Amino acid sequence: MKRLLVLVIVVFGSVFTTAAQGTGEWIRYESPEGRYSVLVPKKPEISQQDTTAATGEKLPQYLASSADGNGVFMIGYFDYAADMTFSLDKARDGMLSSMEATLLGEESISLGGSPGRALRLLAKSTDGREFLDRATFYDVARRIYVLQCIFPKDEDGAALNEKCNKFADSFKARTP
């Protein structure tokens, strides 16, 4: 019997940084282990944390975070076993619940024929500041990719939309 996998995204207590980033050209970050590439403002910091399946199993999730002014661009991925299934709906619901966020918009998308979902969320950091999270999920050959563009709500506008689109549109995944 297949088990349902629920993605739980852990949003760091505060995603905001105080260091200012100078303007410049973005770099293409390549992750051979993650089998992806993406444009980011600067070389990302790499980390690992566990995500939990609906069955309670811990799955390692690998993260790359690139700070930009008061926000951050994040790419995470994890693999799920052949006897599990992944639900984009449950992933969305898990993210909304874990962040206590409001869903502002959602659309079905795809990446090279692999299913995906694009979300626009409004949430609060632990210190009460509101932030927007443009999150994208893709299920590519049993690997789940999660891209997030997280910025203070008061920075919303054309320039931020352009940055978030540049990040999301540059993402490329390779199948094994």
Side-chain angles (χ1 to χ4, degrees):
M1 177 175 251
K2 291 190 174 193
R3 293 172 278 167
L4 183 63
L5 178 65
V6 175
L7 171 67
V8 176
I9 303 290
V10 176
V11 175
F12 302 105
S14 175
V15 298
F16 306 108
T17 62
T18 57
Q21 165 96 23
T23 60
E25 292 299 314
W26 283 29
I27 62 166
R28 176 158 301 279
Y29 173 69
E30 301 268 347
S31 173
E33 302 84 9
R35 300 190 307 263
Y36 72 86
S37 66
V38 67
L39 290 176
V40 290
K42 67 179 187 177
K43 184 177 178 181
E45 293 183 24
I46 308 303
S47 62
Q48 179 184 342
Q49 67 185 29
D50 286 336
T51 190
T52 305
T55 60
E57 292 176 73
K58 299 288 184 189
L59 302 171
Q61 180 179 28
Y62 303 93
L63 300 169
S65 303
S66 180
D68 183 45
N70 292 321
V72 66
F73 297 92
M74 294 175 45
I75 309 97
Y77 71 90
F78 66 91
D79 297 317
Y80 62 97
D83 63 344
M84 295 178 164
T85 58
F86 179 78
S87 166
L88 293 168
D89 290 335
K90 294 226 183 256
R92 175 205 55 224
D93 295 346
M95 181 176 252
L96 287 167
S97 175
S98 70
M99 294 173 58
E100 298 179 10
T102 301
L103 182 63
L104 300 176
E106 172 179 27
E107 71 178 285
S108 293
I109 57 175
S110 66
L111 181 70
S114 296
R117 186 78 52 90
L119 309 175
R120 183 173 158 93
L121 311 172
L122 176 65
K124 288 186 180 179
S125 63
T126 55
D127 64 3
R129 290 185 287 174
E130 288 187 317
F131 64 91
L132 294 172
D133 184 350
R134 290 173 178 90
T136 306
F137 303 92
Y138 293 110
D139 184 350
V140 181
R142 308 201 74 71
R143 175 164 285 176
I144 303 303
Y145 293 99
V146 182
L147 286 81
Q148 293 180 274
C149 177
I150 306 171
F151 280 85
K153 182 181 181 226
D154 61 5
E155 292 185 21
D156 195 20
L160 180 58
N161 285 334
E162 186 177 325
K163 281 184 184 183
C164 292
N165 289 339
K166 179 177 185 174
F167 170 67
D169 293 346
S170 73
F171 181 75
K172 308 284 186 241
R174 296 178 300 280
T175 55

